[in-house]
């Protein structure tokens, strides 16, 4: 079968850069293939995708040598419009992809651009909606949809053209675990039904490998480092050497002294073959671990009592409940996670605590005192909030000015501002960038700037919405170790996250929200080894739970907690 996508010694250098982003790329992808493209941030993954969908050379200018062929024809001899009939792209920022006022309008947009006759247009829109199972929401506006539903609409919008190639740029970044799992199943099903080539860029390897992948293309510094099967790649050290997180069950097996080989079929916890000796090693490793010392009694810093909240209804004309009778405590100096499905109320709870939304029922206490009389500014002196997207927080041109902004708004003298900003820059690892314009920073560095702009105010609590979304493992670890350092200074850290690995690795305690209510207040190990809790809250079981079952370990929660404690005390210390 002839390749549908082919790179021939392709190199590309942006006009604004001093060296090529892509170097001598040789790559072929055929119809019906499913390919995962992995690599650290800045390795050239997005540039590679832009070469496939025609944004390079038509939108992003630079010097290209070699060529890219789409359906046998060089992209430079086609237009973006021509290429779009073969290649459909689903962006990471789903909201940035919507055009129509309703789901039906959005799906139909490409066909309307081509002046397709109305009867044919309606039929093709109907078929695309049925293919992704979004037919029941055709008159909804995009803003009323959940993350998973938005993903389906975006997919239908490119499927309506009957494309031969589907590109997915971090499809799991903003989805809850269960929705992410369903998304990978949907992508797999559509690939099999249509015969389209599937190309996925994603940092969360284990979640993508939930369904079959033919090849993994590993990139580093603009080159292809490996183009091989998942079994081959997961058996070597290339992932670790290039800052890519391997599946947790493989890490756990290695801790127990099990050697991973391609013959074991390690691509998934569902396919891996373990010998009796391998299982024995895992059990013995677990039995040899000592239980950690019990933690000291902690003092509450923030408490919500019987909190309820409702938004004004967009479609129905009446209040839509968002939180119902939530009661919980946050303790001084702890690192806590809030998890749950999209729309469970996680962000709403944070907004009510910070005063962005007006408290309707219940009480919020700070150090035992009611916060009802405090303004947003007064609350911000004690509780800081860091949004998921740093670009939505940043308003200044220079790093120093961005971090100093909150202090200046509070009327603090420039000498004290200078001392506090410089101290914060050093703590956040931003000192060498202090004179840089923010536009020169990477996404991860901007994330640090937004955290620093809150930290400089010296709050007692910092709430972070998806602190590691879209980060590769190396940048993810940098951000989290920085937050751990802040936590050790006594600052209470609260993370709203869909990343179950993040919760397991770093959070000492987890609040699970489900359909506006607090479903559980326990450890991450208990959360992800409870089938009932996982199902109710649209989470996803950890592969460590499955590994424990494979090795005959009855106390799965104990094994998972043992793994977490081992990493905290011996691996990361």
């Amino acid at each position: 079968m002839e390749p549908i996508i082919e790179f021939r010694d392709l190199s590309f250098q942006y006009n604004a850069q001093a060296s090529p982003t892509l170097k001598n790329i040789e790559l072929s992808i055929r119809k019906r293939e499913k390919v995962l493209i992995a690599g650290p941030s800045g390795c050239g993954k997005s540039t590679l995708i832009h070469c496939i969908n025609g944004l390079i050379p038509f939108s992003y200018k630079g010097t290209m040598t070699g060529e890219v062929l789409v359906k046998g024809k060089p992209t430079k001899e086609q237009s973006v419009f021509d290429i779009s009939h073969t290649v459909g792209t689903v962006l990471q920022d789903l909201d940035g992809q919507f055009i129509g006022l309703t789901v039906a309008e959005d799906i139909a947009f490409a066909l309307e651009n081509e002046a397709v006759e109305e009867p044919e247009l309606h039929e093709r829109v109907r078929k695309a909606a049925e293919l992704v199972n979004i037919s029941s929401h055709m008159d909804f506006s995009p803003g009323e949809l959940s993350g998973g539903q938005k993903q389906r609409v975006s997919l239908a919008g490119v499927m309506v053209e009957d494309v031969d190639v589907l590109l997915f740029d971090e499809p799991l970044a903003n989805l809850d675990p269960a929705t992410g799992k369903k998304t990978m199943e949907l992508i797999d099903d559509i690939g099999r039904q249509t015969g389209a080539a599937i190309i996925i860029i994603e940092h969360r390897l284990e979640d993508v490998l939930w369904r079959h992948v033919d090849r993994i293309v590993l990139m580093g510094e603009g080159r292809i480092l490996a183009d091989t099967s998942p079994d081959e790649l997961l058996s070597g050290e290339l992932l670790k050497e290039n800052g890519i997180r391997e599946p947790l069950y493989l890490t756990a097996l290695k801790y127990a002294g099990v050697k991973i080989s391609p013959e074991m079929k390690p691509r998934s916890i569902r396919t891996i073959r373990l010998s009796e000796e391998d299982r024995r090693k895992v059990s013995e490793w677990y039995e040899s671990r000592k239980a950690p010392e019990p933690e000291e009694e902690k003092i509450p810093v923030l408490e919500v009592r019987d909190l309820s909240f409702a938004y004004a209804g967009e479609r129905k004309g009446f209040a839509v409940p968002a939180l119902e009778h939530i009661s919980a405590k946050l303790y001084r100096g702890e690192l806590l996670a809030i998890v749950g499905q999209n729309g469970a109320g996680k962000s709403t709870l944070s907004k009510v605590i910070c005063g962005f939304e007006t408290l309707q029922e219940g009480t919020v206490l700070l150090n035992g005192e009611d916060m009802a009389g405090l303004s947003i500014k007064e609350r911000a002196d004690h509780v800081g909030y860091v949004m998921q997207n740093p670009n939505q927080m940043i308003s200044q041109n220079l790093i120093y000015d961005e971090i100093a902004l909150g202090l200046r708004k509070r009327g603090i003298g420039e000498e004290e501002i200078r001392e506090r900003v410089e101290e914060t820059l050093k703590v956040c690892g931003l000192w060498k960038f202090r004179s840089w314009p923010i536009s020169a920073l990477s996404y991860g560095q901007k994330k640090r700037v937004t955290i620093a702009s809150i930290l400089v105010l010296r709050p007692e609590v910092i709430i972070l919405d998806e602190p590691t979304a879209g980060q590769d493992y190396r940048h993810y670890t940098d951000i989290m170790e920085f937050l751990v350092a802040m936590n050790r200074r006594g600052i209470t850290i609260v993370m709203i996250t869909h990343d179950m690995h993040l919760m397991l690795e770093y959070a000492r305690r987890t609040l699970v929200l489900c359909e506006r209510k607090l479903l559980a207040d326990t450890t991450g190990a208990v959360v992800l080894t409870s089938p009932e809790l996982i199902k109710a809250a649209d989470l996803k079981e950890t592969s460590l739970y499955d590994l424990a079952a494979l090795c005959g370990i009855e106390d799965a929660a104990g094994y998972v907690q043992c793994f977490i404690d081992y990493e905290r005390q011996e691996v990361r210390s």
Side-chain angles (χ1 to χ4, degrees):
M1 185 185 297
E2 289 295 314
I4 188 77
I5 302 292
E6 188 174 5
F7 285 76
R8 294 178 178 174
D9 195 26
L10 187 283
S11 295
F12 181 79
Q13 180 175 333
Y14 292 98
N15 285 340
Q17 294 189 342
S19 59
T21 299
L22 295 179
K23 305 165 188 174
N24 308 111
I25 301 295
E26 295 276 354
L27 177 67
S28 295
I29 298 173
R30 291 169 172 78
K31 288 193 70 172
R32 296 193 177 278
E33 275 196 299
K34 189 176 177 188
V35 179
L36 168 62
I37 299 177
S41 296
C43 72
K45 301 187 301 295
S46 294
T47 301
L48 189 79
I49 290 298
H50 294 156
C51 289
I52 295 174
N53 62 21
L55 293 181
I56 293 174
F58 298 109
S59 295
Y60 300 112
K61 300 301 182 180
T63 302
M64 178 188 288
T65 60
E67 60 183 1
V68 185
L69 279 68
V70 172
K71 224 169 183 178
K73 187 177 180 181
T75 54
K76 59 188 176 184
E77 297 178 9
Q78 306 181 59
S79 66
V80 174
F81 180 72
D82 293 333
I83 295 171
S84 71
H85 290 299
T86 301
V87 180
T89 305
V90 179
L91 303 173
Q92 176 183 350
D93 179 9
L94 296 174
D95 290 324
Q97 189 155 342
F98 289 120
I99 300 294
L101 297 177
T102 67
V103 167
E105 288 180 10
D106 200 80
I107 297 173
F109 179 74
L111 301 180
E112 289 176 332
N113 267 355
E114 297 172 25
V116 173
E117 293 292 334
E118 195 166 313
E120 182 186 350
L121 182 146
H122 284 294
E123 180 63 14
R124 287 170 66 176
V125 167
R126 182 188 65 78
K127 286 183 178 179
E130 287 179 353
L131 191 63
V132 300
N133 194 25
I134 200 68
S135 300
S136 59
H137 291 73
M138 299 296 272
D139 64 336
F140 279 55
S141 73
E144 295 176 278
L145 303 178
S146 69
Q149 289 166 339
K150 288 178 180 179
Q151 192 80 259
R152 290 172 183 268
V153 174
S154 294
L155 186 51
V158 296
M159 289 304 303
V160 75
E161 293 248 61
D162 192 25
V163 294
D164 295 314
V165 180
L166 285 169
L167 303 180
F168 293 89
D169 188 0
E170 300 214 32
L172 305 179
N174 301 307
L175 302 180
D176 64 56
T179 303
K181 183 176 176 180
K182 292 173 184 174
T183 294
M184 293 316 305
E185 292 169 351
L186 174 65
I187 291 171
D188 192 52
D189 291 343
I190 285 176
R192 286 188 288 102
Q193 290 177 43
T194 64
I198 304 291
I199 303 173
I200 301 170
I201 291 179
E202 184 56 65
H203 294 301
R204 289 159 59 176
L205 240 62
E206 184 174 332
D207 293 330
V208 175
L209 295 175
W210 164 251
R211 282 295 184 97
H212 175 76
V213 168
D214 294 296
R215 294 151 55 197
I216 300 178
V217 175
L218 178 65
M219 297 188 65
E221 297 183 351
R223 301 183 187 275
I224 293 180
L225 305 178
D227 181 356
T228 187
S229 70
D231 289 331
E232 287 287 344
L233 189 60
L234 292 173
S235 300
E237 297 298 320
L238 271 176
L239 291 176
K240 182 179 179 181
E241 290 169 2
N242 288 276
I244 306 299
R245 185 218 301 268
E246 67 183 359
L248 278 184
Y249 59 89
L250 294 182
T251 304
L253 286 168
K254 290 176 181 178
Y255 287 163
V258 176
K259 183 173 175 57
I260 309 300
S261 68
E263 293 72 30
M264 295 170 68
K265 304 294 181 186
R267 73 181 77 109
S268 166
I269 190 65
R270 298 184 299 171
T271 62
I272 196 165
R273 301 169 182 171
L274 299 178
S275 66
E276 286 299 322
E277 182 181 0
D278 295 335
R279 294 186 177 94
R280 178 181 56 76
K281 285 181 178 180
V282 173
S283 295
E284 288 179 353
W285 179 87
Y286 171 50
E287 295 297 331
S288 69
R289 297 293 109 201
K290 292 182 179 180
E293 294 294 322
E295 294 186 359
E296 297 179 2
E297 186 72 23
K298 291 189 175 181
I299 303 168
V301 61
L302 198 64
E303 183 177 359
V304 295
R305 293 179 182 172
D306 200 28
L307 189 152
S308 296
F309 179 83
Y311 290 104
E314 292 183 19
R315 294 179 61 81
K316 303 296 184 181
F318 53 80
V320 178
L323 297 169
E324 296 180 5
H325 306 293
I326 304 291
S327 295
K329 292 181 181 179
L330 278 67
Y331 297 100
R332 185 174 303 282
E334 77 169 337
L335 205 162
L336 174 134
I338 302 178
V339 304
Q341 75 259 73
N342 292 96
K346 306 183 295 296
S347 296
T348 301
L349 177 61
S350 301
K351 291 174 182 177
V352 172
I353 289 172
C354 294
F356 304 150
E357 299 288 354
T358 304
L359 180 66
Q360 295 167 349
E361 294 182 34
T363 308
V364 180
L365 303 173
L366 177 71
N367 297 318
E369 299 292 328
D370 193 341
M371 295 177 70
L374 299 183
S375 66
I376 291 177
K377 179 267 173 189
E378 289 169 332
R379 292 182 187 221
D381 290 337
H382 303 278
V383 183
Y385 184 74
V386 180
M387 300 172 72
Q388 177 178 340
N389 185 348
N391 295 318
Q392 293 177 340
M393 289 184 66
I394 292 171
S395 62
Q396 305 299 297
N397 293 322
L398 299 177
I399 292 174
Y400 183 97
D401 292 338
E402 181 65 32
I403 297 173
L405 181 63
L407 298 176
R408 286 172 175 159
K409 292 292 184 182
R410 285 162 172 77
I412 294 174
E414 282 298 321
E415 183 61 27
E416 183 180 347
I417 288 176
R418 184 184 61 79
E419 292 176 3
R420 288 172 64 168
V421 170
E422 289 184 355
E423 176 192 10
T424 305
L425 283 165
K426 291 173 183 176
V427 167
C428 297
L430 293 168
W431 175 251
K432 66 180 181 179
F433 305 115
R434 59 192 179 279
S435 300
W436 282 32
I438 289 175
S439 60
L441 300 183
S442 69
Y443 186 90
Q445 290 166 335
K446 287 180 181 178
K447 199 91 171 179
R448 286 192 179 212
V449 170
T450 58
I451 295 171
S453 68
I454 298 299
L455 186 65
V456 76
L457 302 177
R458 297 177 179 171
E460 297 172 71
V461 180
I462 296 181
I463 303 173
L464 301 107
D465 196 347
E466 296 288 358
T468 60
Q471 300 290 304
D472 64 37
Y473 190 44
R474 188 169 291 156
H475 289 92
Y476 162 107
T477 303
D478 287 346
I479 289 173
M480 287 312 304
E481 291 304 319
F482 160 63
L483 290 176
V484 167
M486 297 303 96
N487 181 240
R488 288 174 181 153
R489 288 169 168 251
I491 296 175
T492 301
I493 304 289
V494 181
M495 306 178 299
I496 300 171
T497 184
H498 289 314
D499 189 337
M500 297 298 97
H501 289 180
L502 173 67
M503 177 191 74
L504 281 174
E505 287 178 293
Y506 291 97
R508 297 286 182 174
R509 187 163 63 98
T510 297
L511 302 182
V512 181
L513 294 184
C514 176
E515 295 182 349
R516 308 174 298 278
K517 297 178 182 179
L518 181 63
L519 200 61
D521 178 352
T522 184
T523 65
V526 170
V527 170
L528 295 189
T529 54
S530 169
E532 297 82 8
L533 195 54
I534 289 167
K535 182 178 180 181
D538 280 350
L539 303 177
K540 186 171 78 71
E541 66 281 354
T542 172
S543 56
L544 298 176
Y545 173 81
D546 297 312
L547 181 60
L550 277 175
C551 298
I553 299 172
E554 294 183 3
D555 183 9
Y559 174 72
V560 174
Q561 191 62 53
C562 176
F563 174 88
I564 296 166
D565 294 335
Y566 177 77
E567 285 219 318
R568 285 176 181 158
Q569 296 167 13
E570 300 187 40
V571 177
R572 294 205 303 266
S573 61

